[in-house]
Amino acid sequence: NAGVTQTPKFQVLKTGQSMTLQCAQDMNHEYMSWYRQDPGMGLRLIHYSVGAGITDQGEVPNGYNVSRSTTEDFPLRLLSAAPSQTSVYFCASRATGSSYNEQFFGPGTRLTVL
Amino acid sequence: KQEVTQIPAALSVPEGENLVLNCSFTDSAIYNLQWFRQDPGKGLTSLLLIQSSQREQTSGRLNASLDKSSGRSTLYIAASQPGDSATYLCALVSLNQGGKLIFGQGTELSVKP
């Protein structure tokens, strides 16, 4: 299994540009989520999904869009990039169930917005 | 609101020492607690997962304990090695916050040869 994969690894954008961060998992996990990690702020939840066709907002959803058309993929869209969105973005997945199973994280995407 | 705190923020120890990393939380209503390791510039690697009904989990030189009543978890690393140098994060799923994973700020560990 490849686990959770993310592309690209690095990206530089100009203010106002849009882009999509890709995330895929091959573990048939229903729950997927996006976090951003910033110095001094820790990891914060952006959006999450409990299954195909179902998404919801996390702590810091403004400026980001998600969709979940398949179990495997959960892309994160930046609609109009701003310098405040410079961060490291992590995608995560886990199996669902009453015990809230172990979460697995991707390698991250380092995004710089100029 | 659930808050997760990790103390100390940074720790430096000589190789071979046994050490304990601390994680405290304010609300005992949790599903589970997970310890991660993060190397510089890398993603998060899951180390141990403790369900709320469990007291501890072990994997190799690592042992994690959970005491819900006192709101504490510890990660014990035996016979530390330079390769253990990394940031260690604890995170928990809170019953009262929709299954969201809530992270501490992490402890940056440096093991000197």
Side-chain angles (χ1 to χ4, degrees):
Chain A
N1 286 352
V4 181
T5 57
Q6 292 183 239
T7 56
K9 290 185 179 180
F10 302 94
Q11 184 71 49
V12 179
L13 292 178
K14 295 180 179 178
T15 297
Q17 287 185 315
S18 63
M19 78 159 295
T20 300
L21 308 185
Q22 300 291 345
C23 174
Q25 51 88 14
D26 60 359
M27 298 173 281
N28 203 32
H29 286 169
E30 294 178 342
Y31 184 96
M32 296 184 73
S33 54
W34 278 101
Y35 290 82
R36 60 178 289 174
Q37 185 177 35
D38 304 287
M41 302 294 291
L43 281 126
R44 293 179 291 170
L45 181 65
I46 304 171
H47 284 286
Y48 66 97
S49 169
V50 298
I54 306 169
T55 64
D56 207 345
Q57 296 180 349
E59 292 177 80
V60 289
N62 292 341
Y64 306 96
N65 230 353
V66 292
S67 60
R68 185 92 178 270
S69 57
T70 67
T71 299
E72 295 78 19
D73 301 297
F74 190 42
L76 178 72
R77 297 182 186 85
L78 279 69
L79 309 173
S80 178
S84 61
Q85 294 178 304
T86 293
S87 186
V88 182
Y89 292 85
F90 290 103
C91 180
S93 76
R94 63 170 168 81
T96 54
S98 59
S99 61
Y100 288 89
N101 298 297
E102 185 177 11
Q103 300 237 12
F104 297 92
F105 281 74
T109 294
R110 293 183 174 274
L111 175 68
T112 300
V113 183
L114 303 175
Chain B
K1 179 184 175 183
Q2 178 74 271
E3 293 183 358
V4 181
T5 304
Q6 292 186 248
I7 295 173
L11 182 63
S12 181
V13 300
E15 181 177 5
E17 192 162 298
N18 301 325
L19 58 99
V20 174
L21 306 180
N22 296 297
C23 173
S24 62
F25 46 95
T26 54
D27 183 356
S28 62
I30 66 171
Y31 277 113
N32 61 41
L33 187 142
Q34 194 168 352
W35 282 92
F36 294 91
R37 167 186 174 139
Q38 185 175 29
D39 293 286
K42 303 293 185 182
L44 280 69
T45 301
S46 177
L47 297 173
L48 290 163
L49 172 73
I50 311 177
Q51 301 291 354
S52 63
S53 59
Q54 298 174 319
R55 297 283 296 189
E56 64 179 284
Q57 282 285 338
T58 298
S59 176
R61 294 183 294 109
L62 305 180
N63 175 276
S65 67
L66 175 64
D67 184 344
K68 285 196 305 178
S69 61
S70 65
R72 294 186 60 189
S73 176
T74 61
L75 179 67
Y76 174 83
I77 303 177
S80 58
Q81 304 170 357
D84 294 330
S85 298
T87 295
Y88 291 80
L89 295 155
C90 72
L92 55 84
V93 176
S94 179
L95 281 168
N96 299 323
Q97 291 187 239
K100 183 176 69 175
L101 195 61
I102 303 168
F103 282 87
Q105 294 285 339
T107 294
E108 185 177 355
L109 174 66
S110 175
V111 181
K112 304 295 186 184

